[in-house]
Amino acid sequence: MCGIVGYIGHRDAYPIIIKGLKRLEYRGYDSAGLVLYDGADLKMSKTKGKVSDLELKAEKEGTTIGKVGMGHTRWATHGVPNDVNSHPHFSNSGKLVIIHNGIIENYEPLKIELIKRGYVFKSDTDTEVLINLIEEVKKKENCKLGKAVQIALNQVVGAYAIAVIDVEKPDEIVVARLGSPLALGIGENEYFIASDASPFIEYTSNAIYLEDEEMAIVRLNKPIKIRKIKDDSLVDPYIQELQMNLEQIEKGGYDHFMLKEIYEQPSVIKDTYRGRLLVDQGIIRMAGVEDNLEKFTNAKRIVIIACGTSWHAGLVAEYIIEEFARIPVEVEYASEFRYRNPIINKDDVVIAISQSGETADTLAAIKLAKEKGAFVFGVCNVVGSSISRETQAGAYTHAGPEIGVASTKAFTTQITVLTMLALRLAKAKGTMPNSEYQRYLLELELIPKKVEEALQTTNEAAKAIAAIYKDSPNCLYLGRGYNFPVALEGALKLKEISYIHAEGYPAAEMKHGPIALIDESMPVIVIAPNKGHYDKVVSNIQEIKSRSGKIIAIVTKGDTQVKALADHVIEIPETTEALTPLLTTIPLQLLSYHIAVMRGCNVDQPRNLAKSVTVE
Ligand code: M6R
């Protein structure tokens, strides 16, 4: 979590830093700060609150001048989000200044040692310990900043992406990474530093992504030198051409990124299957799968690891892969997997799902699975992200930047990739008749159109229902089979952006406890497409109805049975059962969105959350 931006070059750094921080605010938004070298000194402004608060403060304090500088937007780990704990942090001498994304786990013993040597600390942060450690090393070793950073980092346990400036050498910024992302933008006589490429997309399309345990000295008018932190060896910089464009990271006329991203689903699902779903040839071709087909078809078991919404996509995939390809699938929270000595065999395939590709728990779980000899396949959205590089093969979702903290298009594109994977495996293993396989290809190709239709037809209904239930303190979501994970996802969406307590359940589980919660004030959202366990779901609806619960049902167009029972219905287009999650999820996203807007919540930046969870 936390976003960092830096600039060194011929332009004014201030607008680049402020704009960059606004683009990175999805990574954390409880405080923000910046520092600029104004030609004589380092000037800093920082504050609790959002980047817009920082902008006001910096302008009032005149911290706007300089061609070298850096900024930070924070998701607090150590110390409450207040002005003092905000980044940047100066060293005791006032000569060195740092911004940091990550956690220094051994900061306490280091702090005690530094206090013994006379250092005093203003903040509660681990970061202030790191900058003073760098200062102490620099003094003791009488070395340059780069060397001091390197020696200090070798004493540190934890995760970091850092940028450090020395007032005595303001023509360079020293950067380093371990576990938190760091991109360097290479312009004409100028360099950009950022947690992702979005802050510099309009200035350059050339970027270097630092690898873990690498550091660089970014020096004006000099080529970037990258070194390994551990042994000082030089690394050849690999300059990538960025695929992102400015339009993708702007709201494009929508009130919120979340709404824009919900409405992008028809086109991004198409992007996900473009060049892979080849209906004319009657095949699916995904390079990462083709190259490793034997590993998949010989797998005794597939283990899926992920967090949050990506974990829900993994649950949908469990149903689909088992049904289509008859391979046993287990789905685990990455945070549990990594800490429980899981049994992983060499013939297991592990699939790691992550939108950001930076989730710390998923990354650690991948490393553990690899250590145990498993083949790890990644399903990521962010190209070049840590998880996409750590996995041995994979498939990108091609959803484009997802900026709203609540994941929407990432979910449906993950399901699309995983469905294609399941179909490809079914074909390879001969577990699905060819006629059925071909029918799925055709139906999957139609999904973007159907999502488009669902967006058009369900938005007003979702809004009207939102107006009725926006003040409910609780809400239940029920589904069965493929739509049980959709119920979980619907509840997560409501919780995270509207702060209403919501739970998702398999509908049949109600009678084992949760039905006790039902009374006339409890809204129950039931996902009831006309396929699969429809009759069973109808019975579940009756059980809730007879206890006076309020039923909001997601049904297939033309449904009559559920319509007769439910208080409200939202209709979605018809599709084959396994693909229904791609449609049933749409009204649930819209319902949460409208409720959050009506409750005056910050839809794109819900409280206490950040988009990339780079801490465990
Ligand atoms: O980037 P990832 O997919 O690895 O992120 C996992 C979760 O943090 C994420 O899905 C989170 O639950 C979202 N806020 C849900 O909307």
Side-chain angles (χ1 to χ4, degrees):
M1 351 264 270
C2 301
I4 66 175
V5 190
Y7 177 78
I8 183 163
H10 49 84
R11 301 173 207 259
D12 286 334
Y14 176 71
I16 295 170
I17 292 170
I18 289 290
K19 200 162 18 123
L21 288 179
K22 284 185 178 164
R23 289 186 192 158
L24 291 178
E25 230 173 359
Y26 73 89
R27 303 181 62 86
Y29 34 80
D30 54 37
S31 55
L34 62 86
V35 64
L36 293 167
Y37 179 71
D38 67 1
D41 214 347
L42 289 166
K43 294 271 164 59
M44 177 172 75
S45 287
K46 54 185 191 172
T47 183
K48 177 178 188 288
K50 303 227 175 237
V51 177
S52 52
D53 300 310
L54 171 66
E55 202 174 0
L56 290 176
K57 194 165 184 195
E59 272 158 33
K60 202 163 140 210
E61 295 175 346
T63 320
T64 55
I65 315 290
K67 312 272 183 211
V68 180
M70 52 196 199
H72 187 271
T73 177
R74 179 170 187 245
W75 188 86
T77 56
H78 291 74
V80 292
N82 59 21
D83 291 6
V84 176
N85 288 334
S86 309
H87 297 214
H89 289 282
F90 273 99
S91 64
N92 272 196
S93 69
K95 288 183 178 165
L96 307 185
V97 65
I98 189 171
I99 50 172
H100 169 215
N101 166 27
I103 293 184
I104 305 303
E105 286 170 14
N106 60 338
Y107 82 103
E108 274 179 324
L110 292 170
K111 188 171 182 175
I112 292 168
E113 197 48 46
L114 288 165
I115 290 171
K116 277 193 209 147
R117 293 182 197 188
Y119 284 83
V120 287
F121 292 89
K122 294 187 188 125
S123 75
D124 306 320
T125 64
D126 49 341
T127 307
E128 198 187 3
V129 174
L130 178 57
I131 193 63
N132 281 307
L133 178 65
I134 295 169
E135 175 149 295
E136 175 63 13
V137 171
K138 192 167 179 286
K139 248 195 300 184
K140 212 165 124 204
E141 303 288 328
N142 191 21
C143 58
K144 290 186 182 159
L145 178 65
K147 194 77 210 159
V149 168
Q150 186 180 22
I151 296 171
L153 290 180
N154 276 313
Q155 297 176 31
V156 150
V157 178
Y160 50 78
I162 57 165
V164 187
I165 299 179
D166 179 351
V167 72
E168 288 174 348
K169 235 173 158 311
D171 61 342
E172 67 178 35
I173 304 179
V174 177
V175 298
R177 86 157 262 184
L178 175 63
S180 302
L182 195 66
L184 303 174
I186 323 290
E188 289 264 327
N189 303 322
E190 60 183 345
Y191 291 112
F192 304 82
I193 295 157
S195 299
D196 71 33
S198 62
F200 54 79
I201 193 73
E202 63 265 55
Y203 303 106
T204 177
S205 52
N206 294 324
I208 298 173
Y209 289 90
L210 277 198
E211 297 285 344
D212 272 349
E213 303 187 340
E214 286 180 358
M215 61 178 290
I217 300 180
V218 182
R219 196 172 289 151
L220 207 52
N221 302 325
K222 296 260 170 63
I224 289 184
K225 273 203 176 140
I226 301 176
R227 289 182 183 278
K228 289 269 174 212
I229 296 167
K230 270 208 181 109
D231 61 12
D232 204 38
S233 55
L234 272 174
V235 175
D236 272 344
Y238 169 60
I239 302 181
Q240 283 191 31
E241 183 151 350
L242 297 170
Q243 290 166 4
M244 201 190 277
N245 64 50
L246 201 54
E247 214 175 77
Q248 287 177 310
I249 55 168
E250 288 179 341
K251 280 192 204 145
Y254 286 90
D255 288 344
H256 299 96
F257 280 109
M258 182 183 177
L259 193 61
K260 177 185 176 227
E261 287 155 9
I262 291 173
Y263 274 87
E264 278 175 348
Q265 288 175 109
S267 71
V268 294
I269 293 174
K270 234 186 235 168
D271 291 343
T272 305
Y273 69 50
R274 180 169 297 120
R276 293 164 163 174
L277 175 67
L278 306 170
V279 178
D280 295 352
Q281 299 171 46
I283 56 168
I284 282 171
R285 196 168 48 215
M286 297 161 86
V289 179
E290 294 308 319
D291 295 348
N292 297 285
L293 199 55
E294 264 188 32
K295 290 198 178 87
F296 276 106
T297 51
N298 292 338
K300 296 263 178 308
R301 188 175 64 141
I302 290 177
V303 178
I304 297 181
I305 46 176
C307 302
T309 290
S310 298
W311 184 76
H312 296 154
L315 287 179
V316 176
E318 176 182 14
Y319 282 83
I320 297 179
I321 296 172
E322 289 202 346
E323 178 66 29
F324 290 8
R326 309 306 297 152
I327 303 172
V329 179
E330 284 169 27
V331 188
E332 288 234 28
Y333 284 118
S335 54
E336 289 298 314
F337 180 90
R338 67 178 285 198
Y339 286 118
R340 69 166 189 83
N341 193 16
I343 299 169
I344 291 290
N345 302 308
K346 293 212 172 11
D347 47 11
D348 286 336
V349 167
V350 172
I351 301 179
I353 311 173
S354 174
Q355 185 287 128
S356 62
E358 301 295 345
T359 301
D361 283 326
T362 310
L363 199 52
I366 292 167
K367 289 181 183 160
L368 179 64
K370 276 169 67 182
E371 268 165 38
K372 289 179 179 277
F375 164 67
V376 188
F377 184 88
V379 176
C380 288
N381 187 35
V382 177
V383 176
S385 56
S386 303
I387 291 177
S388 68
R389 283 180 285 146
E390 190 64 44
T391 44
Q392 288 134 315
Y396 283 117
T397 51
H398 298 306
E402 192 183 65
I403 292 165
V405 165
S407 204
T408 51
K409 61 177 180 170
F411 182 62
T412 44
T413 53
Q414 285 163 349
I415 294 175
T416 306
V417 161
L418 293 160
T419 304
M420 288 192 290
L421 170 69
L423 284 166
R424 181 64 190 98
L425 299 186
K427 174 95 176 154
K429 292 192 66 143
T431 48
M432 183 184 272
N434 189 47
S435 55
E436 200 181 332
Y437 176 78
Q438 297 302 331
R439 196 166 52 80
Y440 269 113
L441 301 197
L442 285 169
E443 192 53 35
L444 191 55
E445 197 185 31
L446 292 178
I447 286 294
K449 262 211 179 79
K450 295 189 178 185
V451 172
E452 183 90 61
E453 187 186 331
L455 286 165
Q456 276 165 19
T457 57
T458 66
N459 186 46
E460 283 312 310
K463 205 170 176 177
I465 295 167
I468 300 169
Y469 295 102
K470 67 177 174 27
D471 297 319
S472 297
N474 299 294
C475 193
L476 283 175
Y477 285 73
L478 306 180
R480 293 183 85 126
Y482 297 101
N483 282 296
F484 156 54
V486 177
L488 297 179
E489 174 59 10
L492 175 62
K493 283 300 80 98
L494 188 69
K495 280 184 257 209
E496 71 179 325
I497 61 168
S498 70
Y499 320 140
I500 292 175
H501 173 242
E503 296 294 338
Y505 271 99
E509 273 297 299
M510 283 300 281
K511 54 178 104 43
H512 299 289
I515 202 160
L517 293 168
I518 303 292
D519 62 18
E520 61 293 339
S521 62
M522 177 67 90
V524 184
I525 294 158
V526 189
I527 306 162
N530 65 359
K531 297 274 158 38
H533 311 284
Y534 180 74
D535 291 340
K536 304 269 177 221
V537 177
V538 172
S539 308
N540 299 139
I541 291 176
Q542 263 151 348
E543 287 156 13
I544 299 159
K545 183 92 189 146
S546 42
R547 282 146 186 99
S548 307
K550 293 280 175 290
I551 292 158
I552 301 150
I554 313 298
V555 298
T556 309
K557 200 158 76 182
D559 178 284
T560 51
Q561 220 180 330
V562 172
K563 235 182 216 167
L565 294 169
D567 295 273
H568 315 272
V569 290
I570 304 183
E571 290 189 338
I572 50 146
E574 172 135 26
T575 187
T576 185
E577 190 191 358
L579 302 185
T580 53
L582 292 165
L583 302 181
T584 51
T585 196
I586 303 295
L588 302 189
Q589 294 170 346
L590 289 166
L591 184 65
S592 305
Y593 171 78
H594 289 302
I595 290 180
V597 171
M598 288 172 195
R599 287 167 67 90
C601 300
N602 187 334
V603 172
D604 286 332
Q605 295 175 345
R607 69 185 181 205
N608 306 337
L609 291 175
K611 184 79 182 158
S612 276
V613 185
T614 55
V615 293
E616 60 175 84

